Amino acid sequence: MAPTLASSRVAIVSGKGGVGKTTVAAALATAAARAGKRVLVIEVEQRDGLAPLFGAQHIGYEERRLAPGVHGLSVVPDEALVEYLYLFYGIGRFVRPLAKSKAIEFATHTAPGLRDILLIGKVKEAERRRTGGGYTYDLLVLDAPPTGRLPRFLSAPRSVAELVKSGPIRQQAQGVLDMVFDPKRSQVVLVTTPEEMPVRETIEAAQTLTQMGVALGPVVLNGVYPRSFTPAAERALARDATGAIANDARTIGVPLEEEAVSVLGSVASTQARRARNQRSAIRELGAELVQPQVTLPYLFTERFGPREIGPLAAALLAQEAV
Ligand SMILES: Nc1ncnc2c1ncn2[C@@H]1O[C@H](COP(=O)(O)OP(=O)(O)OP(=O)(O)O)[C@@H](O)[C@H]1O
Ligand SMILES: [Mg+2]
């Protein structure tokens, strides 16, 4: 069977800033739920980006239902730390604020890797959790940090495991390592827009992650323009859009003022040039990466919510990407 975005139990969705990580995480979660999976979508940066995509206000530290088959969770390091101290050292959940802030300071400054382990540790706990005879969730979708910060985020457990040789922290680090570096359990899904810079960053990230030993799933090309023109029309428009439009208008007998021709010309040539640039970026990605590609269309809309995520999820299902 061809690998899909849901081939591993945890999909770590990453990519350059602003390429659509959160949008793709929501679309993937929705598509997998429609395919019958029980899904947990997880936010790690407290950005509240996921909630509106499911028509919700907020996702908190308690798992909550966002849509049929989809639960959501926002992992907050402070909360994860308190829970951790509570679980392993019996320190009460309602520790005095001073003790709590000291502990958090320790975790974030003295041992920065620990903070990331606590975040991924929470993901691991949800991944291993069982209800009845089987796993509680079939798929966990992580709206992960951008590619620039991802290697550090994922290698945190390794550095902590090297430092700490025994005890609960070591166990936690090892447990996270076992999950992140097992391709059956975790894969990184890189998202990119079909543009030069993000594509380059994606190619570099793919190399770095592969060297680290992390499995890579299909790459998602997000925001691909529809093919509006025939190849010949596109060439003509990219060369001289006003001339081409004035010519066409004459041919079909539509009277157009000079100004209208000029405005239409600039819109059409921008569109044609962008489409050509996108295709060249897509070619470059295909030439450099062996991973299969999944395509999501550019949606011409101001606001993103469940009504926009629905068609993107449908596009993933139509490509058998889940
Ligand atoms: N397929 C698409 N068509 C049109 N707009 C899109 C598409 N995907 C995402 N967007 C828009 O692009 C912007 C960035 O998307 P999103 O927040 O998902 O990116 P991100 O990678 O999570 O960003 P950040 O790095 O800030 O977390 C948003 O305004 C979103 O609505
Ligand atoms: Mg985001």
Side-chain angles (χ1 to χ4, degrees):
M1 217 170 62
T4 71
L5 299 170
S7 290
S8 311
R9 286 172 45 71
V10 183
I12 302 167
V13 181
S14 185
K16 191 177 181 332
V19 293
K21 296 180 289 297
T22 304
T23 307
V24 169
L28 171 55
T30 304
R34 285 188 191 167
K37 290 183 191 281
R38 285 156 304 182
V39 184
L40 180 67
V41 59
I42 305 166
E43 185 164 68
V44 289
E45 306 217 297
Q46 287 171 271
R47 301 269 296 275
D48 264 338
L50 273 171
L53 302 181
F54 290 95
Q57 294 247 308
H58 177 68
I59 299 175
Y61 193 61
E62 303 290 332
E63 285 162 37
R64 59 169 287 195
R65 186 180 175 281
L66 293 174
V70 183
H71 276 70
L73 165 71
S74 171
V75 189
V76 185
D78 300 2
E79 292 293 336
L81 179 68
V82 171
E83 181 166 297
Y84 182 78
L85 295 172
Y86 169 74
L87 278 176
F88 288 101
Y89 298 106
I91 296 174
R93 261 174 201 275
F94 305 101
V95 280
R96 281 187 302 124
L98 183 67
K100 186 172 154 180
S101 71
K102 279 259 156 55
I104 289 160
E105 202 181 296
F106 166 75
T108 45
H109 296 287
T110 321
L114 191 58
R115 179 185 172 277
D116 289 339
I117 290 190
L118 292 170
L119 291 180
I120 321 178
K122 183 73 190 166
V123 178
K124 190 209 69 179
E125 182 275 313
E127 190 247 355
R128 292 285 93 178
R129 196 185 312 146
R130 290 176 164 272
T131 19
Y135 286 121
T136 310
Y137 295 110
D138 304 308
L139 178 70
L140 295 95
V141 179
L142 182 60
D143 182 9
T147 35
R149 279 190 282 126
L150 191 67
R152 227 191 82 174
F153 181 73
L154 295 179
S155 57
R158 193 158 273 168
S159 33
V160 170
E162 278 163 12
L163 281 173
V164 189
K165 295 296 177 204
S166 61
I169 290 181
R170 163 70 197 217
Q171 270 172 26
Q172 176 82 339
Q174 189 60 48
V176 169
L177 268 179
D178 292 345
M179 178 183 80
V180 169
F181 292 93
D182 178 349
K184 281 202 270 318
R185 290 173 69 189
S186 302
Q187 68 178 0
V188 171
V189 168
L190 290 174
V191 181
T192 184
T193 46
E195 294 163 303
E196 205 179 326
M197 290 302 288
V199 159
R200 245 183 242 154
E201 192 166 321
T202 304
I203 293 166
E204 277 165 25
Q207 282 163 354
T208 309
L209 292 164
T210 306
Q211 275 162 14
M212 279 175 64
V214 183
L216 283 186
V219 173
V220 179
L221 270 162
N222 182 39
V224 176
Y225 278 169
R227 180 121 213 187
S228 311
F229 308 112
T230 63
E234 200 175 81
R235 269 195 303 278
L237 287 169
R239 225 177 16 243
D240 172 21
T242 30
I245 285 172
N247 201 18
D248 282 359
R250 259 197 311 279
T251 312
I252 57 173
V254 176
L256 277 186
E257 307 244 333
E258 213 170 289
E259 199 190 333
V261 171
S262 135
V263 170
L264 284 173
S266 89
V267 171
S269 70
T270 307
Q271 178 81 2
R273 254 183 281 123
R274 276 206 191 135
R276 284 160 77 91
N277 290 344
Q278 282 204 345
R279 277 200 304 282
S280 103
I282 293 170
R283 271 195 303 276
E284 189 185 345
L285 192 74
E288 297 286 335
L289 290 189
V290 292
Q291 282 73 27
Q293 291 169 20
V294 175
T295 298
L296 288 177
Y298 188 89
L299 299 184
F300 294 88
T301 164
E302 288 280 306
R303 238 181 48 83
F304 259 69
R307 277 175 45 170
E308 287 68 37
I309 295 302
L312 294 181
L316 292 180
L317 290 169
Q319 292 169 77
E320 297 183 6
V322 173

